[in-house]
Amino acid sequence: MTSIDDSPAPSTSGRDTAGSTNQGLRPRGVFGKLPRYAAGKPPVVVEGLESFKLSSNENPLPPLPAVLEAIASETSVNRYPDPMTTALRTELAGYLGVPATDIVTGAGSLGALNQILATFAGQNDFDAPDEVVYAWRSFEAYPISVGLAGAAGVQVPVRPDGTHDLDAMAAAITDRTRVVMLCTPNNPTGPVLTRDDVIGFLEKVPAHIVVVIDEAYQEFVRRSDAVDGIELYREYENVIVLRTFSKAHGLAGLRVGYSVSQPALTDHLRVSAVPFAVSQIAEHAAVTSLRHIDEVEVRVQSIVDERIRVVAGLRDLGWTIPEAEGNFVWLALGEHTQDFAVRAGEHALSVRAFGSEGVRVSIGEEAANTRFLALCRDFPHRPAEG
């Protein structure tokens, strides 16, 4: 057990660099090791140009008119929401063809993921914490969520084409591994995992290890052999599928996500689920959006059409980019990453730069995508074959 610091209390005559007058107040030790989540920044205002935010993989379209009406009509916010989100789980059960009892909701798919990690991975032994294996680079919140759960993250580099190296991930599993996370399409690089590849991987994973298939961008996938987590969760008791209403449904600001898994897992997940994580407004909006799924799919297809146009335009310009199956593209710019982000800002476009690795650019409005392609046409440093 860690001993309590009994050193003399500091003077309260001034504040330290963190703004506190009590230097004895300290967070858990893991906080000194965790990266900070860097949300996509808004675009810089440039005189004479309409600004576009392409940094957060947001849906550029607002929610459906019926959804906006549902949001405006919700007047019961003086009451706590249904902790079981019964209406939403019932609607999802019909849409997905799964039992409602197999669904656990959360504050976005990230909230649902945090519930999974809190349940299955943590600090069971001070010298040997549980391990969580995931591809890297992948979703930026993974190392934060894993660390906060008290587990140790095991990052397995993605291949040069941005795909998961499933053989290396299988080899990284040890007797301390409790969870493996697969992100498909992978954020920020873009490629999907195929059904055959994931089945082959699952056959190598011990049955007591939870495998999370994170499908936040599933609705944008058009590759015919792509994995469908809902199909696999029926076959494998250790699979949990993550999905969200943030992207395709345009409800990012309302925070509605969910996981789907068999009772052997959901029985435990309901214990860790954050009470009232999904508000009445969010639940009503999500249910209404599902009831107008045909309209949602039309909007999603318009974004996919723009993605196809952008990808074709980049390749016509001589750029080599990974397969793009989400609502974004990945530019592996290496040392030129920050230069590209600065130039984008000069064109009233915000993009998401990842250190010296690359830039993720969301598919936005048609005018924004056209301006992005013009920027890429004039940028001298582009990823290319050989």
Side-chain angles (χ1 to χ4, degrees):
M1 180 178 295
T2 304
S3 61
I4 297 175
D5 184 357
D6 60 355
S7 57
S11 168
T12 58
S13 59
R15 293 183 179 271
D16 62 19
T17 55
S20 172
T21 59
N22 186 346
Q23 295 181 22
L25 295 175
R26 295 187 178 92
R28 292 163 50 203
V30 70
F31 273 71
K33 304 174 183 178
L34 294 179
R36 292 178 180 269
Y37 185 83
K41 296 180 180 179
V44 175
V45 175
V46 177
E47 186 175 355
L49 289 177
E50 181 181 3
S51 298
F52 295 103
K53 185 182 179 186
L54 305 179
S55 57
S56 295
N57 288 354
E58 296 158 330
N59 191 322
L61 302 171
L64 296 171
V67 175
L68 292 175
E69 291 177 11
I71 292 171
S73 70
E74 185 58 65
T75 59
S76 61
V77 293
N78 58 308
R79 305 294 184 185
Y80 288 109
D82 172 11
M84 297 295 291
T85 50
T86 306
L88 176 56
R89 290 191 304 110
T90 300
E91 198 71 29
L92 277 169
Y95 172 63
L96 298 172
V98 306
T101 52
D102 286 1
I103 302 169
V104 180
T105 57
S109 58
L110 179 57
L113 173 63
N114 287 337
Q115 292 167 181
I116 294 167
L117 293 172
T119 305
F120 297 107
Q123 188 80 31
N124 289 326
D125 186 301
F126 185 79
D127 295 320
D130 293 340
E131 292 180 345
V132 178
V133 176
Y134 55 93
W136 195 253
R137 176 168 290 275
S138 193
F139 183 30
E140 188 179 7
Y142 285 167
I144 302 171
S145 294
V146 170
L148 288 176
V154 179
Q155 298 180 350
V156 179
V158 296
R159 296 189 181 100
D161 63 358
T163 59
H164 283 47
D165 187 340
L166 292 179
D167 289 337
M169 292 182 72
I173 293 173
T174 70
D175 58 1
R176 290 166 51 191
T177 304
R178 296 294 176 269
V179 176
V180 177
M181 299 192 294
L182 306 177
C183 186
T184 177
N186 188 49
N187 172 24
T189 60
V192 291
L193 291 162
T194 69
R195 173 182 168 82
D196 288 347
D197 285 345
V198 175
I199 289 176
F201 176 75
L202 289 171
E203 293 298 326
K204 300 176 184 177
V205 177
H208 70 274
I209 295 176
V210 172
V211 178
V212 178
I213 303 178
D214 186 345
E215 295 185 321
Y217 302 91
Q218 186 271 340
E219 294 89 346
F220 300 96
V221 174
R222 294 296 178 269
R223 182 166 167 171
S224 61
D225 62 346
V227 67
D228 181 341
I230 297 299
E231 291 181 3
L232 292 191
Y233 110 92
R234 296 187 178 100
E235 302 175 32
Y236 295 89
E237 194 176 50
N238 60 331
V239 165
I240 303 178
V241 182
L242 283 179
R243 291 192 179 177
T244 183
F245 284 82
S246 295
K247 313 301 182 184
H249 294 265
L251 298 179
L254 290 184
R255 314 308 303 130
V256 191
Y258 59 96
S259 64
V260 184
S261 56
Q262 293 190 29
L265 300 178
T266 55
D267 286 349
H268 301 297
L269 287 174
R270 295 200 190 286
V271 176
S272 66
V274 177
F276 313 120
V278 178
S279 70
Q280 300 97 317
I281 294 175
E283 182 176 20
H284 195 180
V287 167
T288 303
S289 198
L290 281 174
R291 291 176 178 172
H292 292 78
I293 193 62
D294 290 348
E295 297 174 59
V296 172
E297 289 172 350
V298 169
R299 291 185 167 203
V300 168
Q301 186 58 48
S302 72
I303 296 171
V304 170
D305 291 342
E306 274 296 285
R307 181 190 75 201
I308 292 171
R309 181 175 77 91
V310 168
V311 169
L314 287 169
R315 289 175 176 161
D316 287 345
L317 292 170
W319 288 69
T320 297
I321 63 170
E323 172 189 48
E325 287 288 343
N327 65 339
F328 55 90
V329 294
W330 172 253
L331 311 179
L333 286 162
E335 63 182 346
H336 306 294
T337 294
Q338 299 302 323
D339 182 21
F340 186 92
V342 169
R343 294 195 189 202
E346 293 170 351
H347 289 75
L349 301 174
S350 66
V351 298
R352 184 69 175 87
F354 292 85
S356 60
E357 296 175 62
V359 173
R360 188 194 67 197
V361 184
S362 307
I363 301 299
E365 298 85 343
E366 181 179 352
N369 302 329
T370 297
R371 192 185 302 167
F372 165 61
L373 286 172
L375 170 63
C376 290
R377 179 194 62 212
D378 299 331
F379 192 72
H381 310 290
R382 58 192 65 178
E385 295 286 353

